[in-house]
Amino acid sequence: MLTKVKPTHSLEIKELLKFADRKIKSERGTYLFQEGMFAEELYIIVSGKVQISKITSDGRELSLRICGENDICGELTLFTDNPRYLLSAKVLEEGEIVAIKKDVIESEIFQNSKLAFEFMKWMSDHFRKTQTKFRDLVLNGKRGALFSTLIRMSNSYGIHKENEILIDLPLTNQELANFCGTSRESTNRILSELKKDKIINIKKGKISILNLQYLKDEIGCENCPAVYCNIE
């Protein structure tokens, strides 16, 4: 059974699609935008997956979330002068994406109080998710950051089988390390330890969690609702 993470906002995506300026056929490995580029558009993911990330001061990549169907990215540029993208958006899985001019969305938000209220709630939820992710990264060390990431991924992409939760998202160890703010070497070592202790299993590039409670106990998990404890 696939875990369903209910959206935490009531933002009407169909309403926003009316303002779409163009459609993009996204290809894996390409970028919708990169940090520092001048920002003119927001993007709605119709299909496929897009990874949102930040390059740290020492050159490492820190992945913040994965956008999927009906998600929006590029929203942090709204209502700013000389807007530039603060993050990068890399396509993980090919699909279709629509672009909406930033000034069109801003104008509609000013005129449509319902849309403005829904957008505020949606942004508030995103900030809450981001705060909890950074809390886990800062307070729990390398192992805890990886454990937290695995828990979040199980909430977003977990398929519950008889004695395991399959994370139905193929990621390289480097991509997984980017979500944890750690090196690939550290991630490899911790994953090997977890596999040896039969906490996880890895097959064909996908991770199965065999003992979710162990991961939760190790980081003092507060059992936050899955709508906040996810990788999206």
Side-chain angles (χ1 to χ4, degrees), residues 11-27:
L11 195 58
E12 184 52 72
I13 297 298
K14 290 181 181 179
E15 190 72 18
L16 293 179
L17 288 174
K18 294 191 307 184
F19 306 106
D21 181 64
R22 62 191 178 100
K23 291 183 179 181
I24 303 166
K25 289 292 184 181
S26 58
E27 297 182 9

Side-chain angles (χ1 to χ4, degrees), residues 136-187:
D136 291 345
L137 290 176
V138 172
L139 297 182
N140 293 320
K142 295 178 181 180
R143 286 176 61 85
L146 178 57
F147 293 178
S148 170
T149 299
L150 291 175
I151 293 169
R152 291 175 185 280
M153 287 185 169
S154 74
N155 286 335
S156 293
Y157 299 104
I159 297 177
H160 289 250
K161 298 188 175 182
E162 186 175 351
N163 296 310
E164 63 183 51
I165 303 172
L166 171 65
I167 299 176
D168 192 23
L169 181 70
L171 289 173
T172 66
N173 285 3
Q174 182 61 66
E175 289 171 331
L176 185 57
N178 291 344
F179 277 100
C180 308
T182 61
S183 67
R184 179 173 57 84
E185 292 75 16
S186 293
T187 299

Side-chain angles (χ1 to χ4, degrees), residues 22 24-38 41 43 45 49-56 59-65 73-74 85-95 97 99 174-175 178:
R22 62 191 178 100
I24 303 166
K25 289 292 184 181
S26 58
E27 297 182 9
R28 178 178 170 84
T30 60
Y31 284 86
L32 286 179
F33 54 83
Q34 290 181 279
E35 186 177 343
M37 289 176 54
F38 185 73
E41 298 174 316
Y43 300 89
I45 314 302
K49 291 183 176 61
V50 174
Q51 174 183 286
I52 306 300
S53 60
K54 173 81 175 175
I55 302 299
T56 64
R60 290 183 296 116
E61 183 179 16
L62 176 61
S63 299
L64 300 175
R65 63 186 173 109
C73 56
Y85 292 112
L86 302 177
L87 306 169
S88 296
K90 182 179 180 180
V91 178
L92 287 182
E93 179 183 289
E94 64 182 20
I97 298 168
Q174 182 61 66
E175 289 171 331
N178 291 344

